[in-house]
Amino acid sequence: STRDSTMVKLTEDMIVARTRVSDMNHVKKLNCWGAELSDISVLRKLTHVEVLSLSVNSISTLADIQNCKNLQELYIRKNQIPDISEICWLRDLPRLKNLWLEENPCAAGDPELYRQTVIRNIPQLQKLDNVAVASEEMADAMRRGIDLDHPLDGGSDNQTARLQGQRQVQQQVQRQEQQQ
């Protein structure tokens, strides 16, 4: 398929070309928007990076970002992140305040529940999908968002299914009640 022919691995050389920084420890910002990337494992070396712009690529996991402990902003919309459980890799990034994740397969389903689930699992966020996280929203998220199981703890890689159909189920129940 054409998809396989565009598998692109992000390399140190590509990072140097884009940032003009030769030492991976000193890279603070990296913009790889629309570079057809699928393999970003080299990001494990960017321990001091603060801003990653990775939107419009073919990235399918967030695991490689777990070591970026200084990361503050992650732009990763329009990729192939398959499941909402992938956000568990971002839980331990204490400075992450801005995440743009929409337009990934993992963001499918009930938009309200998706947002509450992301905020519940990454409570340090101040902005999600370009919308500020309000303090009252945080309380809501803690109550209604799904507490995801980390893939490392044997969490299913099909937890996005838990974001599906919640609202439809509620609507069906209401309809049945009206018919009775």
Side-chain angles (χ1 to χ4, degrees):
S1 72
T2 50
R3 177 113 254 169
D4 297 333
S5 63
T6 58
M7 296 291 253
V8 178
K9 183 184 173 85
L10 182 61
T11 63
E12 288 193 30
D13 288 345
M14 288 163 72
I15 293 172
V16 172
R18 281 179 156 79
T19 62
R20 305 275 184 270
V21 178
S22 55
D23 183 343
M24 293 300 109
N25 278 318
H26 293 142
V27 175
K28 297 277 190 198
K29 287 186 176 181
L30 178 63
N31 184 351
C32 291
W33 191 94
E36 297 188 327
L37 298 176
S38 54
D39 181 339
I40 55 167
S41 50
V42 69
L43 293 182
R44 291 172 183 261
K45 296 179 179 175
L46 301 196
T47 48
H48 291 91
V49 73
E50 294 171 3
V51 180
L52 284 174
S53 300
L54 300 168
S55 294
V56 195
N57 282 292
S58 301
I59 297 161
S60 59
T61 181
L62 299 176
D64 298 314
I65 297 170
Q66 64 181 314
N67 297 341
C68 303
K69 297 296 184 196
N70 289 289
L71 191 64
Q72 296 172 22
E73 300 178 35
L74 175 59
Y75 303 97
I76 196 154
R77 68 185 186 87
K78 289 199 173 174
N79 273 281
Q80 307 293 324
I81 309 298
D83 193 69
I84 198 69
S85 59
E86 285 288 328
I87 67 169
C88 294
W89 299 110
L90 307 177
R91 271 184 187 165
D92 296 327
L93 303 180
R95 298 182 178 170
L96 185 64
K97 57 181 195 276
N98 189 347
L99 173 63
W100 202 334
L101 183 65
E102 66 188 352
E103 298 176 85
N104 273 287
C106 68
D110 185 324
E112 202 177 344
L113 186 59
Y114 151 75
R115 189 171 169 88
Q116 289 166 341
T117 297
V118 175
I119 293 167
R120 174 168 183 168
N121 287 273
I122 316 174
Q124 63 271 39
L125 286 182
Q126 294 167 20
K127 206 173 187 188
L128 171 60
D129 295 335
N130 212 28
V131 179
V133 176
S135 49
E136 57 272 18
E137 204 180 3
M138 182 63 73
D140 241 19
M142 290 305 161
R143 205 166 52 245
R144 298 205 179 98
I146 296 167
D147 189 12
L148 297 171
D149 303 315
H150 199 301
L152 282 179
D153 301 328
S156 156
D157 59 5
N158 187 21
Q159 294 184 62
T160 293
R162 297 162 75 182
L163 300 180
Q164 316 286 354
Q166 300 258 343
R167 188 166 286 166
Q168 286 94 316
V169 170
Q170 286 163 355
Q171 285 169 347
Q172 280 170 347
V173 169
Q174 284 165 348
R175 260 187 242 116
Q176 285 165 352
E177 284 168 358
Q178 284 161 0
Q179 284 166 357
Q180 284 166 2

